[in-house]
């Protein structure tokens, strides 16, 4: 996990365009019998799948970028949530990758990093332990050896089934009195997607031994079941027993952030810093929140603090460059971006830096430089929807209507959760007289961002036009 994710400022829309569930009986029976099923329509503020229903007054997409799932981009990369849990294969293929793998994150074992590689091999041709020939019942009777063997099978070999068999035999041998084995069984169930069984094991372990780790695992189960309010209550109960525990306070802040309740999240991140003033995630998230609250000078202080602590990566210098630019400290802006380009570890990071340099170019009025920067963004990352949108705006300025239309359609297909490409396409279609396409695009824009006033005005104009016809 890397600190200080890129502060992507949003698309250049304003620069140019200022002038009920029908279920059969089988489906109902499945819902009743499936323990992992959740409500189809959640109450407002109780679901992570519908973050727009939050009562916290989160930032609008016009101010702060959102992910594919509709949550605001945070100051810290979290692989489990940043992907937005794609619901279709097409979305999974387009999903942002992590810093460690080119694969989209799945709920299976692909996102877990193995602890050892070549160092665990006894010889180049064979594995360290041949799991298929192990007598698990024999090792389960030796508690010290069994625990080390479980860790190897679970973390290195990633063989959840054999790990679960060993844990079940070992906890039986311990007469169900060893809380550690219950936690391991819960971890196996969680990895297999059996969340209710995992919940039972973690609860049983907590009754025997109160541990912070077990509370964190149980909260992960509730989040996977889309029960953030239950997870919040669990964390708060944990804080009663472990006052000032940083991981629990940070867990509460993350949930509030995912639910769009940014003000509460910021308060809890500040509580984290009261306990641990070198907590990178809390500093990065508070800095990001200040940046999007139109306080770049204060955000700059938090990012400078990260720099003083020894965090030295592309994302941090990218954010420092943006903060300097918006705080009108132009002498440091380009040097920060230069350093960010030098430290970029992959093409996606390079694309982020060029994209933000494009915004700097727009800010100083050099549209030719902006055009080149957005082109370089696409050279490094061909799926960068925001760059396609902004290039379309610049093409429109030059009077190249067809190129702008093609770029906006590409942006819309790459990022259906963004409202800017849809709105720009609606404006463009309306100007050339294609009212039907304009109305369709405006409706999609309103769906992505219901509070966008310009979209609402455009739809109103188009309806009046249709009424006259």
């Amino acid at each position: 996990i890397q600190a200080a994710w890129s502060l992507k400022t949003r698309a250049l829309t304003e620069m140019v365009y200022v002038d009920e569930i029908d279920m059969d009986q089988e489906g109902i029976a499945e819902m009743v019998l499936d323990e992992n099923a959740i409500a189809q329509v959640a109450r407002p503020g109780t679901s992570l799948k519908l973050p727009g229903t939050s009562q916290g007054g989160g930032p609008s997409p016009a101010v702060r970028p959102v992910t594919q799932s509709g949550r605001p981009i945070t100051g810290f990369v979290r692989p489990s949530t940043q992907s937005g849990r794609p619901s279709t294969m097409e979305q999974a293929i387009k999903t942002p990758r992590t810093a460690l793998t080119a694969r989209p994150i799945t709920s299976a074992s692909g996102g877990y990093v193995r602890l050892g590689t070549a160092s665990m091999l006894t010889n180049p041709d064979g594995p360290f332990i041949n799991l298929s020939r192990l007598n698990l019942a024999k090792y389960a009777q030796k508690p010290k050896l069994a625990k080390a063997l479980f860790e190897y099978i679970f973390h290195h070999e990633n063989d959840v089934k054999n790990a679960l068999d060993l844990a079940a035999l070992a906890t039986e041998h311990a007469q169900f009195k060893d809380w550690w084995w219950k936690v391991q069984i819960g971890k196996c169930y969680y990895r297999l997607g059996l969340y209710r069984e995992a919940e039972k094991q973690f609860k049983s372990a907590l009754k025997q031994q109160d541990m912070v780790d077990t509370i964190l695992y149980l909260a992960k189960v509730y989040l996977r079941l889309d029960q953030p309010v239950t997870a919040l209550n669990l964390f708060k109960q944990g804080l009663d027993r472990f006052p000032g525990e940083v991981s629990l306070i940070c867990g509460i802040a993350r949930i509030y952030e995912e639910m769009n309740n940014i003000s509460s999240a910021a308060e809890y991140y500040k509580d984290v810093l009261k306990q641990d003033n070198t907590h990178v995630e809390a500093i990065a998230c508070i800095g990001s929140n200040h940046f999007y609250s139109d306080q770049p000078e204060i955000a700059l202080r938090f990012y400078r603090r990260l720099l003083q602590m020894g965090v030295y990566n592309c994302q941090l210098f990218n954010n420092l460059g943006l903060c300097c630019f918006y705080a009108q400290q132009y002498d440091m802006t380009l040097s920060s971006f230069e350093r960010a380009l030098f430290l970029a570890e992959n093409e996606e990071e390079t694309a982020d830096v060029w994209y933000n340099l494009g915004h700097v170019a727009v800010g100083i009025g050099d549209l030719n430089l902006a055009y080149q920067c957005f082109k370089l963004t696409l050279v490094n990352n061909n799926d960068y929807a925001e760059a396609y949108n902004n290039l379309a705006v610049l093409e429109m300025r030059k009077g190249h209507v067809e190129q702008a239309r093609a770029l906006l359609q590409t942006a819309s297909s790459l990022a259906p959760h963004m409202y800017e490409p849809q709105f720009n396409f609606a404006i463009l279609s309306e100007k050339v007289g294609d009212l039907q396409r304009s109305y369709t695009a405006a409706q999609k824009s309103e769906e992505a961002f219901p509070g966008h006033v310009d979209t609402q005005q455009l739809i109103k104009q188009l309806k009046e036009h249709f009424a006259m016809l």
Side-chain angles (χ1 to χ4, degrees):
I1 296 176
Q2 293 186 341
W5 182 246
S6 303
L7 296 173
K8 293 182 187 175
T9 51
R10 285 312 266 184
L12 305 179
T13 314
E14 291 76 17
M15 188 184 78
V16 176
Y17 301 120
V18 170
D19 336 324
E20 84 191 80
I21 300 170
D22 185 16
M23 292 180 68
D24 56 10
Q25 289 183 346
E26 283 184 27
I28 294 169
E30 264 182 44
M31 288 284 290
V32 171
L33 296 172
D34 185 6
E35 286 188 342
N36 291 320
I38 59 174
Q40 293 287 333
V41 183
R43 292 179 185 175
T46 62
S47 171
L48 296 177
K49 291 193 175 181
L50 295 170
T53 62
S54 168
Q55 302 300 304
S60 74
V63 178
R64 188 169 189 166
V66 293
T67 61
Q68 192 173 347
S69 61
R71 298 174 194 160
I73 285 186
T74 61
F76 211 78
V77 177
R78 302 192 188 98
S80 59
T81 61
Q82 193 72 12
S83 63
R85 292 175 194 156
S87 54
T88 64
M89 182 55 71
E90 285 182 7
Q91 284 179 326
I93 292 168
K94 295 175 188 171
T95 296
R97 274 58 171 162
T98 65
L100 300 172
T101 173
R103 294 180 52 196
I105 299 168
T106 61
S107 59
S109 55
Y112 292 87
V113 181
R114 296 191 173 196
L115 294 182
T117 48
S119 61
M120 301 295 286
L121 299 177
T122 49
N123 59 66
D125 303 319
F128 181 59
I129 297 173
N130 192 342
L131 297 181
S132 60
R133 300 179 64 182
L134 283 182
N135 182 357
L136 295 178
K138 171 186 165 187
Y139 289 104
Q141 294 171 8
K142 302 175 181 177
K144 292 178 183 176
L145 186 59
K147 289 182 178 180
L149 182 60
F150 175 87
E151 295 280 347
Y152 173 80
I153 296 171
F154 187 79
H155 291 293
H156 181 269
E157 289 300 319
N158 216 359
D159 188 341
V160 181
K161 183 180 176 298
N162 275 323
L164 180 59
D165 291 342
L166 175 62
L169 291 165
T171 193
E172 195 177 333
H173 179 261
Q175 298 177 346
F176 306 98
K177 291 178 182 175
D178 192 337
W179 64 271
W180 191 87
W181 282 114
K182 291 183 179 179
V183 172
Q184 307 317 309
I185 293 173
K187 283 160 68 175
C188 292
Y189 280 142
Y190 177 84
R191 192 82 74 87
L192 291 168
L194 302 169
Y195 303 122
R196 289 298 180 189
E197 283 78 2
E199 178 192 9
K200 290 172 188 171
Q201 295 295 332
F202 291 138
K203 279 185 170 179
S204 179
L206 275 174
K207 283 179 184 174
Q208 287 185 343
Q209 180 73 37
D210 218 358
M211 294 288 289
V212 174
D213 277 359
T214 315
I215 295 171
L216 293 170
Y217 278 121
L218 186 53
K220 278 182 75 174
V221 170
Y222 286 133
L223 289 176
R224 188 62 77 172
L225 287 170
D226 195 26
Q227 296 180 355
V229 177
T230 312
L232 283 173
N233 292 335
L234 178 70
F235 279 135
K236 286 170 182 174
Q237 289 167 13
L239 281 173
D240 292 338
R241 304 193 294 274
F242 300 99
E245 174 58 43
V246 169
S247 55
L248 298 180
I249 304 171
C250 194
I252 294 173
R254 286 178 185 172
I255 294 173
Y256 276 128
E257 203 165 34
E258 287 175 35
M259 292 172 71
N260 273 11
N261 195 340
I262 303 297
S263 55
S264 297
E267 289 302 319
Y268 277 98
Y269 278 128
K270 286 172 185 173
D271 288 344
V272 169
L273 292 182
K274 287 174 187 173
Q275 303 296 331
D276 176 12
N277 58 10
T278 60
H279 197 277
V280 175
E281 181 179 352
I283 295 172
C285 288
I286 293 172
S288 171
N289 188 38
H290 280 300
F291 178 85
Y292 287 118
S293 301
D294 205 19
Q295 297 171 319
E297 301 89 352
I298 300 174
L300 189 59
R301 287 170 56 193
F302 282 94
Y303 289 123
R304 280 179 58 200
R305 168 69 177 158
L306 286 177
L307 199 61
Q308 289 165 355
M309 282 166 48
V311 178
Y312 193 79
N313 57 27
C314 166
Q315 289 90 344
L316 180 57
F317 278 102
N318 179 55
N319 293 359
L320 281 168
L322 276 175
C323 289
C324 288
F325 176 69
Y326 285 105
Q328 299 181 4
Q329 297 182 16
Y330 301 120
D331 53 334
M332 288 292 294
T333 302
L334 290 178
S335 57
S336 296
F337 281 124
E338 239 175 14
R339 189 67 57 87
L341 283 171
F342 178 73
L343 291 171
E345 294 178 356
N346 54 51
E347 289 183 339
E348 289 182 4
E349 291 180 3
T350 309
D352 278 338
V353 180
W354 280 117
Y355 175 78
N356 288 321
L357 273 167
H359 272 283
V360 172
V362 170
I364 61 176
D366 191 344
L367 297 186
N368 288 327
L369 176 60
Y371 190 86
Q372 293 299 323
C373 288
F374 292 135
K375 281 282 189 186
L376 283 167
T377 302
L378 295 178
V379 167
N380 287 285
N381 181 2
N382 203 31
D383 290 343
Y384 215 105
E386 291 92 341
Y388 281 110
N389 177 77
N390 293 2
L391 274 173
V393 173
L394 295 175
E395 291 284 10
M396 189 60 192
R397 277 211 156 190
K398 294 177 181 179
H400 301 158
V401 177
E402 287 306 315
Q403 288 95 319
R405 185 184 295 226
L407 288 165
L408 288 171
Q409 285 176 328
T410 306
S412 301
S413 61
L414 286 172
H417 62 281
M418 281 173 55
Y419 78 93
E420 291 98 339
Q422 303 287 3
F423 173 70
N424 289 349
F425 189 78
I427 290 283
L428 186 59
S429 300
E430 195 255 348
K431 281 187 175 179
V432 298
D434 192 345
L435 301 183
Q436 183 57 48
R437 278 189 182 177
S438 176
Y439 184 68
T440 307
Q443 282 185 315
K444 289 179 181 175
S445 171
E446 188 180 34
E447 190 180 326
F449 180 20
H452 192 226
V453 178
D454 291 341
T455 303
Q456 293 168 357
Q457 288 177 349
L458 178 61
I459 291 174
K460 186 180 175 184
Q461 284 175 15
L462 289 169
K463 283 182 177 176
E464 288 174 0
H465 219 69
F466 292 143
M468 286 170 64
L469 293 173

